[in-house]
Amino acid sequence: PVRLGALELQHRVVMAPLTRMRNQEYVPVMDAQVTYYEQRASPGGLILTEATLISPSSGSYKLAPGIWSDEQIAGWKRVTEAVHKKGGYIFCQLWHLGRASESTYEYKGQKYPPLAPSPIPMAEGGEIPHELTLEEISKLPEEYAHATRCAMKAGFDGVGEWPFQFSRVSHLC
């Protein structure tokens, strides 16, 4: 056993975040998604979710999940309930793709360009990201806070941001 904040884990085997790409329109609604996490849950064990986008503008990965809308909260709630039913804990990994995003995929009819601190593409010849203004940068913490509140509503035991700096949800809100 090991203590992680307020959690008492029964063992030290933690499922690392793995990109599953089993979603539809940024929502973990498919039964396969619920089953995937449920199969890996264990009493007192900890699961870190796949990278989960914090807002529509945080990246465009067609099959990656998000955590900013009521529909997504409901989808994730199915996952967290399945993990909790088996006695496990689950943290949501929050994600913003930055310049690694591409504007080739639409969310609800709108395309979002990659966002970055400078207009330098991810790779030579790649899409040039939109250079964030100071005003746009100042909105990013609220997007993370909103995603954290959504994760709480979905029943997560904690949240973290890549690269794997995890905290208890209750300490962030």
Side-chain angles (χ1 to χ4, degrees), residues 146-172:
H146 175 73
T148 298
R149 288 189 294 273
C150 290
M152 289 179 64
K153 289 177 186 176
F156 283 100
D157 299 298
V159 300
E161 177 190 11
W162 186 89
F164 319 119
Q165 299 171 357
F166 287 86
S167 302
R168 284 282 297 150
V169 171
S170 58
H171 295 165
L172 296 176

PDB file of all heavy atoms in Angstrom, residues 146-172:
ATOM      1  N   HIS A 146     -12.012  25.046 -15.881  1.00  0.00           N
ATOM      2  CA  HIS A 146     -13.320  24.552 -16.317  1.00  0.00           C
ATOM      3  C   HIS A 146     -13.259  23.035 -16.534  1.00  0.00           C
ATOM      4  O   HIS A 146     -14.142  22.298 -16.104  1.00  0.00           O
ATOM      5  CB  HIS A 146     -13.770  25.258 -17.592  1.00  0.00           C
ATOM      6  CG  HIS A 146     -15.044  24.711 -18.154  1.00  0.00           C
ATOM      7  ND1 HIS A 146     -16.274  24.951 -17.568  1.00  0.00           N
ATOM      8  CD2 HIS A 146     -15.273  23.898 -19.218  1.00  0.00           C
ATOM      9  CE1 HIS A 146     -17.206  24.309 -18.264  1.00  0.00           C
ATOM     10  NE2 HIS A 146     -16.622  23.666 -19.269  1.00  0.00           N
ATOM     11  N   ALA A 147     -12.200  22.558 -17.196  1.00  0.00           N
ATOM     12  CA  ALA A 147     -12.043  21.121 -17.431  1.00  0.00           C
ATOM     13  C   ALA A 147     -11.928  20.377 -16.102  1.00  0.00           C
ATOM     14  O   ALA A 147     -12.462  19.274 -15.951  1.00  0.00           O
ATOM     15  CB  ALA A 147     -10.822  20.863 -18.306  1.00  0.00           C
ATOM     16  N   THR A 148     -11.256  20.978 -15.127  1.00  0.00           N
ATOM     17  CA  THR A 148     -11.127  20.365 -13.801  1.00  0.00           C
ATOM     18  C   THR A 148     -12.490  20.258 -13.129  1.00  0.00           C
ATOM     19  O   THR A 148     -12.833  19.211 -12.559  1.00  0.00           O
ATOM     20  CB  THR A 148     -10.160  21.180 -12.921  1.00  0.00           C
ATOM     21  OG1 THR A 148      -8.872  21.174 -13.535  1.00  0.00           O
ATOM     22  CG2 THR A 148     -10.064  20.610 -11.522  1.00  0.00           C
ATOM     23  N   ARG A 149     -13.293  21.311 -13.214  1.00  0.00           N
ATOM     24  CA  ARG A 149     -14.639  21.259 -12.628  1.00  0.00           C
ATOM     25  C   ARG A 149     -15.486  20.198 -13.329  1.00  0.00           C
ATOM     26  O   ARG A 149     -16.250  19.462 -12.690  1.00  0.00           O
ATOM     27  CB  ARG A 149     -15.301  22.638 -12.708  1.00  0.00           C
ATOM     28  CG  ARG A 149     -14.701  23.649 -11.736  1.00  0.00           C
ATOM     29  CD  ARG A 149     -15.498  24.944 -11.675  1.00  0.00           C
ATOM     30  NE  ARG A 149     -15.473  25.700 -12.924  1.00  0.00           N
ATOM     31  CZ  ARG A 149     -14.547  26.589 -13.265  1.00  0.00           C
ATOM     32  NH1 ARG A 149     -13.547  26.851 -12.447  1.00  0.00           N
ATOM     33  NH2 ARG A 149     -14.620  27.239 -14.413  1.00  0.00           N
ATOM     34  N   CYS A 150     -15.348  20.096 -14.641  1.00  0.00           N
ATOM     35  CA  CYS A 150     -16.072  19.055 -15.389  1.00  0.00           C
ATOM     36  C   CYS A 150     -15.621  17.669 -14.950  1.00  0.00           C
ATOM     37  O   CYS A 150     -16.448  16.755 -14.806  1.00  0.00           O
ATOM     38  CB  CYS A 150     -15.857  19.232 -16.896  1.00  0.00           C
ATOM     39  SG  CYS A 150     -16.686  20.687 -17.595  1.00  0.00           S
ATOM     40  N   ALA A 151     -14.328  17.489 -14.709  1.00  0.00           N
ATOM     41  CA  ALA A 151     -13.812  16.203 -14.243  1.00  0.00           C
ATOM     42  C   ALA A 151     -14.395  15.851 -12.874  1.00  0.00           C
ATOM     43  O   ALA A 151     -14.736  14.692 -12.615  1.00  0.00           O
ATOM     44  CB  ALA A 151     -12.284  16.233 -14.189  1.00  0.00           C
ATOM     45  N   MET A 152     -14.538  16.843 -12.009  1.00  0.00           N
ATOM     46  CA  MET A 152     -15.156  16.604 -10.692  1.00  0.00           C
ATOM     47  C   MET A 152     -16.586  16.119 -10.867  1.00  0.00           C
ATOM     48  O   MET A 152     -17.010  15.159 -10.223  1.00  0.00           O
ATOM     49  CB  MET A 152     -15.133  17.875  -9.840  1.00  0.00           C
ATOM     50  CG  MET A 152     -13.757  18.249  -9.352  1.00  0.00           C
ATOM     51  SD  MET A 152     -13.792  19.764  -8.369  1.00  0.00           S
ATOM     52  CE  MET A 152     -14.779  19.252  -6.979  1.00  0.00           C
ATOM     53  N   LYS A 153     -17.336  16.786 -11.761  1.00  0.00           N
ATOM     54  CA  LYS A 153     -18.727  16.393 -12.008  1.00  0.00           C
ATOM     55  C   LYS A 153     -18.807  14.985 -12.585  1.00  0.00           C
ATOM     56  O   LYS A 153     -19.775  14.266 -12.350  1.00  0.00           O
ATOM     57  CB  LYS A 153     -19.391  17.380 -12.970  1.00  0.00           C
ATOM     58  CG  LYS A 153     -19.652  18.733 -12.373  1.00  0.00           C
ATOM     59  CD  LYS A 153     -20.253  19.675 -13.418  1.00  0.00           C
ATOM     60  CE  LYS A 153     -20.387  21.077 -12.889  1.00  0.00           C
ATOM     61  NZ  LYS A 153     -20.873  21.995 -13.938  1.00  0.00           N
ATOM     62  N   ALA A 154     -17.793  14.591 -13.350  1.00  0.00           N
ATOM     63  CA  ALA A 154     -17.780  13.266 -13.965  1.00  0.00           C
ATOM     64  C   ALA A 154     -17.354  12.174 -12.987  1.00  0.00           C
ATOM     65  O   ALA A 154     -17.415  10.997 -13.317  1.00  0.00           O
ATOM     66  CB  ALA A 154     -16.853  13.259 -15.181  1.00  0.00           C
ATOM     67  N   GLY A 155     -16.923  12.566 -11.789  1.00  0.00           N
ATOM     68  CA  GLY A 155     -16.583  11.577 -10.763  1.00  0.00           C
ATOM     69  C   GLY A 155     -15.129  11.170 -10.697  1.00  0.00           C
ATOM     70  O   GLY A 155     -14.792  10.193 -10.019  1.00  0.00           O
ATOM     71  N   PHE A 156     -14.237  11.905 -11.348  1.00  0.00           N
ATOM     72  CA  PHE A 156     -12.819  11.572 -11.260  1.00  0.00           C
ATOM     73  C   PHE A 156     -12.308  11.808  -9.843  1.00  0.00           C
ATOM     74  O   PHE A 156     -12.790  12.695  -9.127  1.00  0.00           O
ATOM     75  CB  PHE A 156     -11.996  12.408 -12.252  1.00  0.00           C
ATOM     76  CG  PHE A 156     -12.095  11.913 -13.661  1.00  0.00           C
ATOM     77  CD1 PHE A 156     -12.934  12.527 -14.572  1.00  0.00           C
ATOM     78  CD2 PHE A 156     -11.341  10.826 -14.076  1.00  0.00           C
ATOM     79  CE1 PHE A 156     -13.032  12.072 -15.876  1.00  0.00           C
ATOM     80  CE2 PHE A 156     -11.433  10.358 -15.383  1.00  0.00           C
ATOM     81  CZ  PHE A 156     -12.271  10.982 -16.280  1.00  0.00           C
ATOM     82  N   ASP A 157     -11.307  11.046  -9.450  1.00  0.00           N
ATOM     83  CA  ASP A 157     -10.692  11.186  -8.133  1.00  0.00           C
ATOM     84  C   ASP A 157      -9.571  12.217  -8.138  1.00  0.00           C
ATOM     85  O   ASP A 157      -9.118  12.648  -7.079  1.00  0.00           O
ATOM     86  CB  ASP A 157     -10.124   9.830  -7.686  1.00  0.00           C
ATOM     87  CG  ASP A 157     -11.221   8.794  -7.572  1.00  0.00           C
ATOM     88  OD1 ASP A 157     -12.132   8.992  -6.754  1.00  0.00           O
ATOM     89  OD2 ASP A 157     -11.184   7.805  -8.334  1.00  0.00           O
ATOM     90  N   GLY A 158      -9.111  12.609  -9.303  1.00  0.00           N
ATOM     91  CA  GLY A 158      -8.055  13.589  -9.432  1.00  0.00           C
ATOM     92  C   GLY A 158      -7.859  13.957 -10.884  1.00  0.00           C
ATOM     93  O   GLY A 158      -8.458  13.355 -11.774  1.00  0.00           O
ATOM     94  N   VAL A 159      -7.044  14.986 -11.118  1.00  0.00           N
ATOM     95  CA  VAL A 159      -6.711  15.410 -12.474  1.00  0.00           C
ATOM     96  C   VAL A 159      -5.218  15.663 -12.542  1.00  0.00           C
ATOM     97  O   VAL A 159      -4.541  15.816 -11.525  1.00  0.00           O
ATOM     98  CB  VAL A 159      -7.460  16.696 -12.911  1.00  0.00           C
ATOM     99  CG1 VAL A 159      -8.948  16.503 -12.883  1.00  0.00           C
ATOM    100  CG2 VAL A 159      -7.050  17.877 -12.061  1.00  0.00           C
ATOM    101  N   GLY A 160      -4.722  15.725 -13.745  1.00  0.00           N
ATOM    102  CA  GLY A 160      -3.325  16.066 -13.954  1.00  0.00           C
ATOM    103  C   GLY A 160      -3.151  16.587 -15.353  1.00  0.00           C
ATOM    104  O   GLY A 160      -4.041  16.481 -16.186  1.00  0.00           O
ATOM    105  N   GLU A 161      -2.010  17.191 -15.590  1.00  0.00           N
ATOM    106  CA  GLU A 161      -1.703  17.699 -16.910  1.00  0.00           C
ATOM    107  C   GLU A 161      -0.447  17.008 -17.395  1.00  0.00           C
ATOM    108  O   GLU A 161       0.479  16.770 -16.627  1.00  0.00           O
ATOM    109  CB  GLU A 161      -1.467  19.205 -16.852  1.00  0.00           C
ATOM    110  CG  GLU A 161      -1.070  19.776 -18.188  1.00  0.00           C
ATOM    111  CD  GLU A 161      -0.594  21.207 -18.105  1.00  0.00           C
ATOM    112  OE1 GLU A 161      -0.367  21.713 -17.000  1.00  0.00           O
ATOM    113  OE2 GLU A 161      -0.425  21.808 -19.163  1.00  0.00           O
ATOM    114  N   TRP A 162      -0.447  16.674 -18.671  1.00  0.00           N
ATOM    115  CA  TRP A 162       0.768  16.130 -19.236  1.00  0.00           C
ATOM    116  C   TRP A 162       1.864  17.163 -19.037  1.00  0.00           C
ATOM    117  O   TRP A 162       1.614  18.345 -19.225  1.00  0.00           O
ATOM    118  CB  TRP A 162       0.558  15.863 -20.734  1.00  0.00           C
ATOM    119  CG  TRP A 162       1.710  15.178 -21.358  1.00  0.00           C
ATOM    120  CD1 TRP A 162       1.907  13.839 -21.443  1.00  0.00           C
ATOM    121  CD2 TRP A 162       2.844  15.785 -21.965  1.00  0.00           C
ATOM    122  NE1 TRP A 162       3.089  13.570 -22.064  1.00  0.00           N
ATOM    123  CE2 TRP A 162       3.684  14.760 -22.399  1.00  0.00           C
ATOM    124  CE3 TRP A 162       3.237  17.094 -22.173  1.00  0.00           C
ATOM    125  CZ2 TRP A 162       4.893  14.999 -23.027  1.00  0.00           C
ATOM    126  CZ3 TRP A 162       4.436  17.342 -22.800  1.00  0.00           C
ATOM    127  CH2 TRP A 162       5.245  16.297 -23.225  1.00  0.00           C
ATOM    128  N   PRO A 163       3.046  16.867 -18.564  1.00  0.00           N
ATOM    129  CA  PRO A 163       3.618  15.543 -18.351  1.00  0.00           C
ATOM    130  C   PRO A 163       3.425  15.018 -16.932  1.00  0.00           C
ATOM    131  O   PRO A 163       4.337  15.057 -16.123  1.00  0.00           O
ATOM    132  CB  PRO A 163       5.090  15.730 -18.682  1.00  0.00           C
ATOM    133  CG  PRO A 163       5.378  17.148 -18.264  1.00  0.00           C
ATOM    134  CD  PRO A 163       4.082  17.910 -18.477  1.00  0.00           C
ATOM    135  N   PHE A 164       2.275  14.527 -16.662  1.00  0.00           N
ATOM    136  CA  PHE A 164       1.977  13.703 -15.503  1.00  0.00           C
ATOM    137  C   PHE A 164       2.207  14.363 -14.151  1.00  0.00           C
ATOM    138  O   PHE A 164       2.823  13.797 -13.276  1.00  0.00           O
ATOM    139  CB  PHE A 164       2.728  12.376 -15.587  1.00  0.00           C
ATOM    140  CG  PHE A 164       2.733  11.817 -16.973  1.00  0.00           C
ATOM    141  CD1 PHE A 164       3.916  11.609 -17.641  1.00  0.00           C
ATOM    142  CD2 PHE A 164       1.555  11.552 -17.636  1.00  0.00           C
ATOM    143  CE1 PHE A 164       3.929  11.115 -18.945  1.00  0.00           C
ATOM    144  CE2 PHE A 164       1.549  11.063 -18.935  1.00  0.00           C
ATOM    145  CZ  PHE A 164       2.742  10.838 -19.574  1.00  0.00           C
ATOM    146  N   GLN A 165       1.715  15.568 -13.990  1.00  0.00           N
ATOM    147  CA  GLN A 165       1.747  16.232 -12.698  1.00  0.00           C
ATOM    148  C   GLN A 165       0.330  16.161 -12.155  1.00  0.00           C
ATOM    149  O   GLN A 165      -0.526  16.949 -12.518  1.00  0.00           O
ATOM    150  CB  GLN A 165       2.209  17.681 -12.842  1.00  0.00           C
ATOM    151  CG  GLN A 165       3.602  17.778 -13.401  1.00  0.00           C
ATOM    152  CD  GLN A 165       3.990  19.189 -13.746  1.00  0.00           C
ATOM    153  OE1 GLN A 165       3.211  20.121 -13.628  1.00  0.00           O
ATOM    154  NE2 GLN A 165       5.220  19.365 -14.175  1.00  0.00           N
ATOM    155  N   PHE A 166       0.066  15.181 -11.304  1.00  0.00           N
ATOM    156  CA  PHE A 166      -1.291  14.898 -10.871  1.00  0.00           C
ATOM    157  C   PHE A 166      -1.569  15.439  -9.481  1.00  0.00           C
ATOM    158  O   PHE A 166      -0.706  15.457  -8.625  1.00  0.00           O
ATOM    159  CB  PHE A 166      -1.575  13.397 -10.923  1.00  0.00           C
ATOM    160  CG  PHE A 166      -1.734  12.916 -12.327  1.00  0.00           C
ATOM    161  CD1 PHE A 166      -0.635  12.546 -13.078  1.00  0.00           C
ATOM    162  CD2 PHE A 166      -2.976  12.893 -12.922  1.00  0.00           C
ATOM    163  CE1 PHE A 166      -0.784  12.129 -14.385  1.00  0.00           C
ATOM    164  CE2 PHE A 166      -3.133  12.487 -14.229  1.00  0.00           C
ATOM    165  CZ  PHE A 166      -2.032  12.101 -14.960  1.00  0.00           C
ATOM    166  N   SER A 167      -2.808  15.850  -9.275  1.00  0.00           N
ATOM    167  CA  SER A 167      -3.263  16.382  -8.002  1.00  0.00           C
ATOM    168  C   SER A 167      -4.656  15.854  -7.705  1.00  0.00           C
ATOM    169  O   SER A 167      -5.371  15.435  -8.600  1.00  0.00           O
ATOM    170  CB  SER A 167      -3.345  17.915  -8.062  1.00  0.00           C
ATOM    171  OG  SER A 167      -2.100  18.478  -8.388  1.00  0.00           O
ATOM    172  N   ARG A 168      -5.024  15.914  -6.449  1.00  0.00           N
ATOM    173  CA  ARG A 168      -6.396  15.587  -6.089  1.00  0.00           C
ATOM    174  C   ARG A 168      -7.305  16.674  -6.638  1.00  0.00           C
ATOM    175  O   ARG A 168      -7.006  17.849  -6.531  1.00  0.00           O
ATOM    176  CB  ARG A 168      -6.546  15.556  -4.556  1.00  0.00           C
ATOM    177  CG  ARG A 168      -5.986  14.336  -3.905  1.00  0.00           C
ATOM    178  CD  ARG A 168      -6.880  13.139  -4.036  1.00  0.00           C
ATOM    179  NE  ARG A 168      -8.134  13.386  -3.361  1.00  0.00           N
ATOM    180  CZ  ARG A 168      -9.276  12.867  -3.708  1.00  0.00           C
ATOM    181  NH1 ARG A 168      -9.343  12.055  -4.731  1.00  0.00           N
ATOM    182  NH2 ARG A 168     -10.373  13.129  -3.057  1.00  0.00           N
ATOM    183  N   VAL A 169      -8.414  16.296  -7.210  1.00  0.00           N
ATOM    184  CA  VAL A 169      -9.356  17.268  -7.781  1.00  0.00           C
ATOM    185  C   VAL A 169      -9.785  18.265  -6.734  1.00  0.00           C
ATOM    186  O   VAL A 169      -9.833  19.462  -6.968  1.00  0.00           O
ATOM    187  CB  VAL A 169     -10.576  16.552  -8.383  1.00  0.00           C
ATOM    188  CG1 VAL A 169     -11.642  17.545  -8.762  1.00  0.00           C
ATOM    189  CG2 VAL A 169     -10.169  15.767  -9.612  1.00  0.00           C
ATOM    190  N   SER A 170     -10.120  17.797  -5.547  1.00  0.00           N
ATOM    191  CA  SER A 170     -10.673  18.671  -4.518  1.00  0.00           C
ATOM    192  C   SER A 170      -9.700  19.784  -4.130  1.00  0.00           C
ATOM    193  O   SER A 170     -10.109  20.821  -3.643  1.00  0.00           O
ATOM    194  CB  SER A 170     -11.058  17.875  -3.279  1.00  0.00           C
ATOM    195  OG  SER A 170      -9.918  17.192  -2.770  1.00  0.00           O
ATOM    196  N   HIS A 171      -8.417  19.606  -4.352  1.00  0.00           N
ATOM    197  CA  HIS A 171      -7.435  20.626  -4.006  1.00  0.00           C
ATOM    198  C   HIS A 171      -7.288  21.680  -5.092  1.00  0.00           C
ATOM    199  O   HIS A 171      -6.639  22.686  -4.884  1.00  0.00           O
ATOM    200  CB  HIS A 171      -6.080  19.999  -3.727  1.00  0.00           C
ATOM    201  CG  HIS A 171      -6.093  19.124  -2.522  1.00  0.00           C
ATOM    202  ND1 HIS A 171      -5.106  18.232  -2.254  1.00  0.00           N
ATOM    203  CD2 HIS A 171      -6.983  18.996  -1.522  1.00  0.00           C
ATOM    204  CE1 HIS A 171      -5.370  17.595  -1.132  1.00  0.00           C
ATOM    205  NE2 HIS A 171      -6.511  18.036  -0.688  1.00  0.00           N
ATOM    206  N   LEU A 172      -7.873  21.432  -6.269  1.00  0.00           N
ATOM    207  CA  LEU A 172      -7.711  22.371  -7.379  1.00  0.00           C
ATOM    208  C   LEU A 172      -8.878  23.316  -7.547  1.00  0.00           C
ATOM    209  O   LEU A 172      -8.785  24.278  -8.286  1.00  0.00           O
ATOM    210  CB  LEU A 172      -7.518  21.587  -8.678  1.00  0.00           C
ATOM    211  CG  LEU A 172      -6.250  20.726  -8.741  1.00  0.00           C
ATOM    212  CD1 LEU A 172      -6.228  19.932 -10.024  1.00  0.00           C
ATOM    213  CD2 LEU A 172      -5.018  21.608  -8.651  1.00  0.00           C
TER     214      LEU A 172
END
